[in-house]
Amino acid sequence: MLRHLSAIHVPYRLKRPFRISRGTKSVADTIFVEIRRGRHIGRGEGVPYTRYDETIDSVIAQIGSVRDEIEAGADRERLIEIMPPGAARNAIDCALWDLEAKQTRVSVVDRIGWGPLGPVDTAITISLDTPENMAAAAQQLQDVPLLKVKVDASDPIAALRAVRQVAPNPRMIVDPNESWSIDQLGSWQRQLVDLRVDLLEQPLPAKNDADLEGFESLIPLAADESGHVTDNLGQLARRYDYVNIKLDKTGGLTTALEMLEAAEREGLGLMMGCMVSSSLSIAPALIIAQRCAFVDLDGPTLLTEDRDNGVVETCGTMVPPKPGFWG
């Protein structure tokens, strides 16, 4: 019996504008994929990201380019051969995992052999704004276990001080999204220590990563935009302490699992991240999150409306979706 693949654009409006150093968004654009075979339907989601030259149209076109092979029965291993990493492959890969689970009645976590998923503490993000507005946002989050604070190069220390003053207890990830220079990193790191920053994520542009070789950072560094797939992990390990795994970068759960194992072999710590997305993106990401020291999966909490029966976040702790949602 042949499969049927469909892919559509599904936008989600955000509760409030989400700003990082590269720009601001008010809508999360996702690509929803279904793969049907008989009465079974596998679902997956990818999020096009302009940082990697992806658009809604380009991701849908990529999916269309492999439609015939997927409908003819191509498996996840074949998918890796015919598609590059990215949002399009992620959506198909996760849909294939879901379809396989429904056809066999064996859950994805059981197939992997990791056992049942448990709740995880996820970072709750404070987007880039004035120090006063960031402090107002942090005031509502002072009891969560982990904050992620978006900054740029225009006086990030003032913003972080404002956040810390009202939220002294949570662990803190700081994310400049490639907006700093190596000189700025050096000049600010003593203040970052004083502010009890636990992790600094992608401070420099990925193209300037070589500047980190030999740099003695006082704060653990995590690669995000610099760390996509397993090929460059050895090099990353000379520059970073952690790598942020995202399914839309690796191109799906299949290669994310491979990247996790390879990162552990290289001695890199693990972080699990996401784009701004619905719970359909987060459900497979929660599998990787079980092995990560830092988890940043709050994408659905930014939406005005999520998918039914998805993840539930309460005071920074995320509970997996209800049975039957995915996988």
Side-chain angles (χ1 to χ4, degrees), residues 76-118:
R76 290 181 283 105
E77 287 68 31
R78 176 60 179 160
L79 179 66
I80 295 169
E81 296 174 358
I82 62 177
M83 291 192 82
R89 195 175 82 188
N90 176 35
I92 296 175
D93 178 77
C94 290
L96 288 172
W97 276 104
D98 191 33
L99 179 64
E100 184 177 1
K102 288 172 178 172
Q103 288 175 322
T104 62
R105 296 187 178 182
V106 177
S107 71
V108 173
V109 288
D110 285 344
R111 186 168 299 279
I112 295 170
W114 286 13
L117 297 183

Side-chain angles (χ1 to χ4, degrees), residues 226-247:
S226 294
H228 294 197
V229 292
T230 59
D231 293 349
N232 64 340
L233 287 179
Q235 186 179 69
L236 283 183
R238 298 195 299 272
R239 302 167 177 177
Y240 292 93
D241 306 287
Y242 288 80
V243 62
N244 187 352
I245 300 173
K246 292 180 179 174
L247 301 186

Side-chain angles (χ1 to χ4, degrees), residues 99-229:
L99 179 64
E100 184 177 1
K102 288 172 178 172
Q103 288 175 322
T104 62
R105 296 187 178 182
V106 177
S107 71
V108 173
V109 288
D110 285 344
R111 186 168 299 279
I112 295 170
W114 286 13
L117 297 183
V120 297
D121 289 341
T122 180
I124 304 297
T125 303
I126 298 175
S127 68
L128 179 62
D129 207 324
T130 64
E132 295 76 16
N133 288 342
M134 294 174 74
Q139 181 77 50
Q140 309 302 313
L141 301 170
Q142 57 184 302
D143 295 324
V144 304
L146 178 62
L147 288 175
K148 180 170 178 175
V149 185
K150 296 285 191 177
V151 297
D152 59 14
S154 58
D155 203 358
I157 301 302
L160 295 173
R161 281 178 178 152
V163 169
R164 259 298 178 231
Q165 185 171 2
V166 298
N169 296 323
R171 293 190 303 156
M172 182 187 288
I173 302 169
V174 173
D175 187 5
N177 284 109
E178 302 184 277
S179 62
W180 293 2
S181 69
I182 189 69
D183 290 339
Q184 288 169 325
L185 173 59
S187 67
W188 287 327
Q189 64 171 344
R190 174 51 63 185
Q191 293 157 297
L192 297 175
V193 170
D194 293 341
L195 287 161
R196 293 180 289 111
V197 173
D198 294 89
L199 189 69
L200 183 61
E201 186 179 350
Q202 197 67 46
L204 310 187
K207 65 181 180 180
N208 295 342
D209 266 358
D211 292 346
L212 292 172
E213 295 209 14
F215 179 79
E216 296 292 335
S217 180
L218 302 179
I219 303 291
L221 302 178
D224 181 3
E225 288 86 352
S226 294
H228 294 197
V229 292

